[in-house]
Amino acid sequence: MNYNETSIRVRYGETDQMGVVYHGNYATYFEVGRTEWLREFGLSYRGMEADGIMLPVVSLSINYKNSARYDDVLKVKTTLKKMPTASIEFEYELRNESGVLLATGSTILAFIDVDKNRPTRCPKYLLDKLRNYSL
């Protein structure tokens, strides 16, 4: 496994009066992609937070190519860019049902120790699960 693909249907409330997805919603689509990427490893934000680790986004980049529209079924392809250290980096591709590239992007999230409110290393349990991950 070197990526995760997740499907999302565009809801009416995510669009403007012309049925075009508002640009800010693309960040949410990327969040869904990385949440599902974590689930493939048996992990969740909830579980990591319970273990005292937060993952705030510290960098977000989106390149818009074409418009997503109301009721489109989108595919978010989420790929780990490199093995995590004190941060984790993802790359994204967003396509519609016809395979048209709508957007690309990337995020960097920092591992934060909740008790100390300071950056920390990637948890060992995540690194162990990524041991056989193909980059």
Side-chain angles (χ1 to χ4, degrees), residues 38-119:
L38 281 168
R39 281 188 212 286
E40 281 201 16
F41 290 96
L43 301 171
S44 69
Y45 281 127
R46 179 184 288 178
M48 293 179 81
E49 289 172 1
D51 288 339
I53 300 293
M54 299 289 280
L55 271 172
V57 173
V58 296
S59 177
L60 166 66
S61 173
I62 303 173
N63 297 303
Y64 302 96
K65 308 292 185 184
N66 289 288
S67 296
R69 300 187 172 275
Y70 170 64
D71 212 32
D72 281 354
V73 174
L74 309 177
K75 288 230 187 259
V76 182
K77 181 178 178 182
T78 305
T79 307
L80 182 67
K81 187 172 179 181
K82 63 182 185 178
M83 291 302 281
T85 54
S87 63
I88 188 166
E89 299 182 40
F90 294 99
E91 293 180 333
Y92 309 91
E93 286 185 3
L94 186 67
R95 295 180 183 271
N96 65 16
E97 291 173 285
S98 301
V100 174
L101 182 63
L102 305 176
T104 59
S106 63
T107 54
I108 301 173
L109 294 87
F111 292 99
I112 302 293
D113 181 307
V114 172
D115 295 331
K116 297 176 185 174
N117 197 29
R118 304 282 306 156

Side-chain angles (χ1 to χ4, degrees), residues 4-21:
N4 170 276
E5 257 188 11
T6 302
S7 295
I8 301 169
R9 185 175 296 276
V10 174
R11 296 172 297 187
Y12 184 78
E14 297 167 345
T15 65
D16 60 21
Q17 287 183 323
M18 297 180 296
V20 175
V21 171

